[in-house]
PDB file of all heavy atoms in Angstrom:
ATOM      1  N   LYS O  71      29.419  -4.307  58.584  1.00 90.00           N
ATOM      2  CA  LYS O  71      30.410  -3.273  58.851  1.00 90.00           C
ATOM      3  C   LYS O  71      31.781  -3.556  58.167  1.00 90.00           C
ATOM      4  O   LYS O  71      32.467  -2.637  57.783  1.00 90.00           O
ATOM      5  CB  LYS O  71      30.585  -3.078  60.348  1.00 90.00           C
ATOM      6  CG  LYS O  71      31.460  -2.061  60.770  1.00 90.00           C
ATOM      7  CD  LYS O  71      31.664  -1.914  62.223  1.00 90.00           C
ATOM      8  CE  LYS O  71      32.574  -0.696  62.614  1.00 90.00           C
ATOM      9  NZ  LYS O  71      32.767  -0.669  64.128  1.00 90.00           N
ATOM     10  N   PHE O  90      46.861  16.834  51.834  1.00 95.00           N
ATOM     11  CA  PHE O  90      48.325  17.050  52.052  1.00 95.00           C
ATOM     12  C   PHE O  90      49.003  17.222  50.729  1.00 95.00           C
ATOM     13  O   PHE O  90      50.024  18.012  50.749  1.00 95.00           O
ATOM     14  CB  PHE O  90      48.922  15.797  52.808  1.00 95.00           C
ATOM     15  CG  PHE O  90      48.659  15.862  54.270  1.00 95.00           C
ATOM     16  CD1 PHE O  90      47.765  15.010  54.948  1.00 95.00           C
ATOM     17  CD2 PHE O  90      49.373  16.702  55.074  1.00 95.00           C
ATOM     18  CE1 PHE O  90      47.607  15.047  56.285  1.00 95.00           C
ATOM     19  CE2 PHE O  90      49.180  16.866  56.514  1.00 95.00           C
ATOM     20  CZ  PHE O  90      48.282  15.991  57.055  1.00 95.00           C
ATOM     21  N   ALA O  91      48.605  16.545  49.627  1.00 94.00           N
ATOM     22  CA  ALA O  91      49.238  16.744  48.400  1.00 94.00           C
ATOM     23  C   ALA O  91      49.072  18.176  47.889  1.00 94.00           C
ATOM     24  O   ALA O  91      49.930  18.740  47.282  1.00 94.00           O
ATOM     25  CB  ALA O  91      48.629  15.720  47.390  1.00 94.00           C
ATOM     26  N   ALA O  99      54.629  24.721  43.452  1.00 88.00           N
ATOM     27  CA  ALA O  99      54.303  25.176  42.097  1.00 88.00           C
ATOM     28  C   ALA O  99      54.438  26.729  42.019  1.00 88.00           C
ATOM     29  O   ALA O  99      54.978  27.301  41.065  1.00 88.00           O
ATOM     30  CB  ALA O  99      52.919  24.726  41.642  1.00 88.00           C
ATOM     31  N   ALA O 181      49.071  26.248  35.128  1.00 76.00           N
ATOM     32  CA  ALA O 181      48.047  27.322  35.279  1.00 76.00           C
ATOM     33  C   ALA O 181      48.663  28.652  35.686  1.00 76.00           C
ATOM     34  O   ALA O 181      48.251  29.651  35.091  1.00 76.00           O
ATOM     35  CB  ALA O 181      46.983  26.886  36.256  1.00 76.00           C
ATOM     36  N   LEU O 189      45.203  40.969  36.008  1.00 64.00           N
ATOM     37  CA  LEU O 189      44.261  40.860  37.070  1.00 64.00           C
ATOM     38  C   LEU O 189      44.875  41.047  38.423  1.00 64.00           C
ATOM     39  O   LEU O 189      44.353  41.663  39.332  1.00 64.00           O
ATOM     40  CB  LEU O 189      43.472  39.529  36.943  1.00 64.00           C
ATOM     41  CG  LEU O 189      42.743  39.349  35.726  1.00 64.00           C
ATOM     42  CD1 LEU O 189      42.177  37.857  35.649  1.00 64.00           C
ATOM     43  CD2 LEU O 189      41.509  40.232  35.579  1.00 64.00           C
ATOM     44  N   PHE O 252      38.053 -12.041  45.560  1.00 85.00           N
ATOM     45  CA  PHE O 252      38.230 -12.802  44.235  1.00 85.00           C
ATOM     46  C   PHE O 252      39.219 -13.920  44.307  1.00 85.00           C
ATOM     47  O   PHE O 252      39.011 -14.948  43.708  1.00 85.00           O
ATOM     48  CB  PHE O 252      38.607 -11.717  43.158  1.00 85.00           C
ATOM     49  CG  PHE O 252      38.460 -12.340  41.767  1.00 85.00           C
ATOM     50  CD1 PHE O 252      37.240 -12.465  41.159  1.00 85.00           C
ATOM     51  CD2 PHE O 252      39.573 -12.587  41.058  1.00 85.00           C
ATOM     52  CE1 PHE O 252      37.110 -12.946  39.978  1.00 85.00           C
ATOM     53  CE2 PHE O 252      39.442 -13.024  39.743  1.00 85.00           C
ATOM     54  CZ  PHE O 252      38.208 -13.249  39.203  1.00 85.00           C
ATOM     55  N   LEU O 371      55.186  -4.207  23.396  1.00 94.00           N
ATOM     56  CA  LEU O 371      54.133  -4.562  22.541  1.00 94.00           C
ATOM     57  C   LEU O 371      52.856  -3.644  22.835  1.00 94.00           C
ATOM     58  O   LEU O 371      52.239  -3.156  21.935  1.00 94.00           O
ATOM     59  CB  LEU O 371      53.797  -5.996  22.770  1.00 94.00           C
ATOM     60  CG  LEU O 371      52.567  -6.544  21.937  1.00 94.00           C
ATOM     61  CD1 LEU O 371      52.869  -6.386  20.385  1.00 94.00           C
ATOM     62  CD2 LEU O 371      52.355  -7.995  22.261  1.00 94.00           C
ATOM     63  N   ILE O 386      40.316  10.346  14.392  1.00 88.00           N
ATOM     64  CA  ILE O 386      38.845  10.247  14.319  1.00 88.00           C
ATOM     65  C   ILE O 386      38.136  11.203  15.170  1.00 88.00           C
ATOM     66  O   ILE O 386      37.115  11.849  14.697  1.00 88.00           O
ATOM     67  CB  ILE O 386      38.436   8.844  14.629  1.00 88.00           C
ATOM     68  CG1 ILE O 386      38.980   7.795  13.654  1.00 88.00           C
ATOM     69  CG2 ILE O 386      36.961   8.633  14.842  1.00 88.00           C
ATOM     70  CD1 ILE O 386      38.853   6.294  14.137  1.00 88.00           C
ATOM     71  N   ARG O 442      44.009   0.163  29.906  1.00 88.00           N
ATOM     72  CA  ARG O 442      44.186   1.033  30.991  1.00 88.00           C
ATOM     73  C   ARG O 442      45.015   2.308  30.704  1.00 88.00           C
ATOM     74  O   ARG O 442      44.738   3.356  31.195  1.00 88.00           O
ATOM     75  CB  ARG O 442      45.006   0.292  32.159  1.00 88.00           C
ATOM     76  CG  ARG O 442      45.056   1.037  33.473  1.00 88.00           C
ATOM     77  CD  ARG O 442      44.626   0.162  34.525  1.00 88.00           C
ATOM     78  NE  ARG O 442      44.285   0.972  35.744  1.00 88.00           N
ATOM     79  CZ  ARG O 442      45.066   1.108  36.761  1.00 88.00           C
ATOM     80  NH1 ARG O 442      46.200   0.471  36.849  1.00 88.00           N
ATOM     81  NH2 ARG O 442      44.673   1.806  37.777  1.00 88.00           N
ATOM     82  N   MET O 485      52.831  14.454  13.914  1.00 78.00           N
ATOM     83  CA  MET O 485      52.416  14.115  15.296  1.00 78.00           C
ATOM     84  C   MET O 485      53.519  13.315  16.042  1.00 78.00           C
ATOM     85  O   MET O 485      53.440  13.387  17.309  1.00 78.00           O
ATOM     86  CB  MET O 485      51.084  13.272  15.295  1.00 78.00           C
ATOM     87  CG  MET O 485      49.945  14.026  14.738  1.00 78.00           C
ATOM     88  SD  MET O 485      48.524  12.845  14.538  1.00 78.00           S
ATOM     89  CE  MET O 485      48.215  12.408  16.262  1.00 78.00           C
ATOM     90  N   VAL O 509      46.251  -9.476  39.497  1.00 89.00           N
ATOM     91  CA  VAL O 509      45.082 -10.265  39.343  1.00 89.00           C
ATOM     92  C   VAL O 509      45.134 -11.213  38.170  1.00 89.00           C
ATOM     93  O   VAL O 509      44.657 -12.298  38.144  1.00 89.00           O
ATOM     94  CB  VAL O 509      43.845  -9.331  39.173  1.00 89.00           C
ATOM     95  CG1 VAL O 509      42.599 -10.113  38.881  1.00 89.00           C
ATOM     96  CG2 VAL O 509      43.627  -8.450  40.423  1.00 89.00           C
ATOM     97  N   SER O 524      56.023  -9.809  45.565  1.00 86.00           N
ATOM     98  CA  SER O 524      56.206 -11.170  46.177  1.00 86.00           C
ATOM     99  C   SER O 524      57.456 -11.204  47.049  1.00 86.00           C
ATOM    100  O   SER O 524      57.420 -11.789  48.159  1.00 86.00           O
ATOM    101  CB  SER O 524      56.307 -12.223  45.093  1.00 86.00           C
ATOM    102  OG  SER O 524      55.202 -12.231  44.283  1.00 86.00           O
ATOM    103  N   THR O 545      62.941   4.010  34.481  1.00 82.00           N
ATOM    104  CA  THR O 545      62.088   5.176  34.588  1.00 82.00           C
ATOM    105  C   THR O 545      62.828   6.436  34.311  1.00 82.00           C
ATOM    106  O   THR O 545      62.509   7.308  33.563  1.00 82.00           O
ATOM    107  CB  THR O 545      61.332   5.238  35.959  1.00 82.00           C
ATOM    108  OG1 THR O 545      60.505   4.155  36.132  1.00 82.00           O
ATOM    109  CG2 THR O 545      60.570   6.537  36.077  1.00 82.00           C
TER     110      THR O 545
END
Side-chain angles (χ1 to χ4, degrees):
K71 185 180 178 182
F90 278 108
L189 298 171
F252 192 73
L371 180 57
I386 293 169
R442 190 127 197 260
M485 293 172 66
V509 176
S524 302
T545 298

